[in-house]
Amino acid sequence: MRIDDFALERFFARWEFSAPYVLCASDVEGWAMKDVLALADDETRAMWDGLALGYTEAAGHPLLRAEIASTYQGLTADDVLVFSGAEEAIFACMNVLAAPGDHVLAAFPAYQSLYQVAAATGAEVELLPMMHQLGWRFDRELLRKSLRPQTRAVAVNFPHNPTGALPTPDEFREIARTVEESGAWLFSDEVYRGLERDEADRLPAAAEISAHGISLGVMSKSFAMAGLRIGWIACRDRDLLARLAAYKDYLTICASGPAEVLALIALRARGPVLERSRAIVRGNMARLDAFFAEWAGTLEWVPPRAGSTAFPRIVPPVDIDAFAGELRERKGVLILPGTLFGYPGTHFRLGFGRLNMPEALGRFEEFLVERFGRP
Ligand SMILES: Cc1ncc(COP(=O)(O)O)c(C=O)c1O
């Protein structure tokens, strides 16, 4: 299979660990190992101490699958398949679902693999644009019009990376119903679920509300443990899960044993784990609200309703790649130009899940003052 480079990941491979201030990360500040282990109960502590480093069960540790299932209403361990990160799950799903002659719809802008992998299978991929001018609203009418008899899958991602867009629960149910009625699968990337500004806005999971719903979850974002590389698919269609399990035999086969136990510990303690993430994101959002109010006229944004990223734009005409490069050189601050999402104009991604965000934002502001003058 030939596949285009993943522009965002190539950019991070180059800069993420050399730029002093990463102001565009999508994950939440990672937990320290000792703090995760301190959350263990007697059973998981014994699992950790006695762990042998052999292969693990291909579908995922049964206790981990049960714990993941308990985060969804009405699902059991048999509805869950563990992957090494969300990225592996996307790759497997798109390869199992799509083939030449098929049609796949994907919301855009998007985390690139959500449409690129399907395109690499030879399927025809059509993007469903979300527009800044329309508050990044997902256009349900356009979805309805774009569905065809050959449409195999519709890929959406709410809370949305990079814009922070989130439909209402009723709108999401309508999306799920529309896709199910068409006979296609709803591939629902829910990796930022749990990071809603207002918890009342949390969407139901696609796997809960639709027999054709495929919910993607991961430990990386709302659970703030990206280094575990533990993700999962939750879906009530056992035949699809079996095909995914067979495909995974050609990828990682099974997940890392230590990572599975740590994920189990964290999921059993998900109350405080998620509360820590929400507290970081809430604090940074308050700072960003004030920042964008002060810089109105120079910067424009649609405040994110959920997640840990936003996709603002610079109002004066600039070359966003050159602007971001200069900011990195002069202030050590990394922002992600919107061009890496294939998105035109002067948009850039900001991430607000990291503890040093206020300091990074302060340095960004110094740069803005030097470039545009005080607001
Ligand atoms: C929307 C979305 N889906 C999937 C992923 C992949 O997650 P992971 O790196 O944990 O595999 C990311 C990571 O940034 C993401 O933003």
Side-chain angles (χ1 to χ4, degrees), residues 6 8-9 12 25-27 84-90 110-114 156-162 187 189-192 216-221 225-227 229-231 309 341 349:
F6 197 138
L8 171 152
E9 295 297 354
F12 274 121
S26 60
D27 58 349
S84 296
E87 185 72 322
E88 186 188 39
I90 295 171
Y111 188 66
Q112 191 175 336
S113 50
L114 291 173
V156 295
N157 161 225
F158 304 121
H160 183 250
N161 169 17
F187 185 86
D189 180 331
E190 299 166 359
V191 301
Y192 298 96
L216 174 69
V218 80
M219 294 305 293
S220 307
K221 311 296 183 182
M225 298 181 194
R229 311 307 300 130
I230 294 285
T309 61
F341 279 94
R349 186 174 84 181

Side-chain angles (χ1 to χ4, degrees), residues 125-136:
V125 174
E126 198 180 339
L127 301 174
L128 301 172
M130 294 159 70
M131 319 276 252
H132 176 245
Q133 304 87 304
L134 300 178
W136 300 123

